[in-house]
Amino acid sequence: QVQLQESGPGLVKPSQTLSLTCTVSGGSITTNYYYWSWIRQPPGKGLEWMGAIAYSGSTYYSPSLKSRTSISRDTSKNQFTLQLSSVTPEDTAVYYCARGLKGPYYSDYDYWGQGTQVTVSS
């Protein structure tokens, strides 16, 4: 059974960088041919795909967030991370990590983390 768990600070100040880590157990983030995504949901709004990192290490980003987003991984720890720079209160959301199979632009997620609340406030 694959499990994903998000971790990181729940409160970030405006203009700072949001950093979250997704720890994966029960499966390797390098296993063919899975994609590992970050998705967020602001209060009262729908899900927004932010970006993904593939089994190969290739990265993919939402056009609206590409300039501020960086996804990386640490294969020795079976973790992948999200960094979102220059945050504003509009970045307040529940952040999820999830696994997909077909590709970075498909929402065929079979496993999700529980989600973690991140609030941007001074």
Side-chain angles (χ1 to χ4, degrees):
Q1 189 78 244
V2 176
Q3 295 184 80
L4 294 80
Q5 186 171 66
E6 304 90 345
S7 62
L11 182 64
V12 184
K13 295 182 177 181
S15 82
Q16 298 296 303
T17 296
L18 181 161
S19 183
L20 297 174
T21 296
C22 183
T23 300
V24 179
S25 62
S28 173
I29 60 173
T30 64
T31 295
N32 299 349
Y33 297 96
Y34 293 112
Y35 296 79
W36 306 87
S37 289
W38 286 100
I39 303 123
R40 69 179 183 179
Q41 185 169 36
K45 299 181 180 179
L47 296 168
E48 178 186 22
W49 178 78
M50 302 181 70
I53 187 163
Y55 57 93
S56 62
S58 297
T59 53
Y60 310 84
Y61 301 101
S62 168
S64 64
L65 296 169
K66 184 176 181 179
S67 66
R68 299 194 292 132
T69 306
S70 179
I71 298 172
S72 59
R73 67 181 184 176
D74 185 338
T75 58
S76 69
K77 297 180 179 180
N78 212 36
Q79 297 176 329
F80 63 104
T81 63
L82 169 72
Q83 290 191 297
L84 182 67
S85 65
S86 304
V87 299
T88 74
E90 292 185 356
D91 293 310
T92 294
V94 176
Y95 285 75
Y96 300 91
C97 55
R99 186 181 81 167
L101 177 61
K102 293 184 178 180
Y105 309 117
Y106 293 83
S107 57
D108 62 333
Y109 310 114
D110 55 354
Y111 292 97
W112 293 71
Q114 80 284 355
T116 186
Q117 172 71 47
V118 178
T119 299
V120 180
S121 177
S122 60

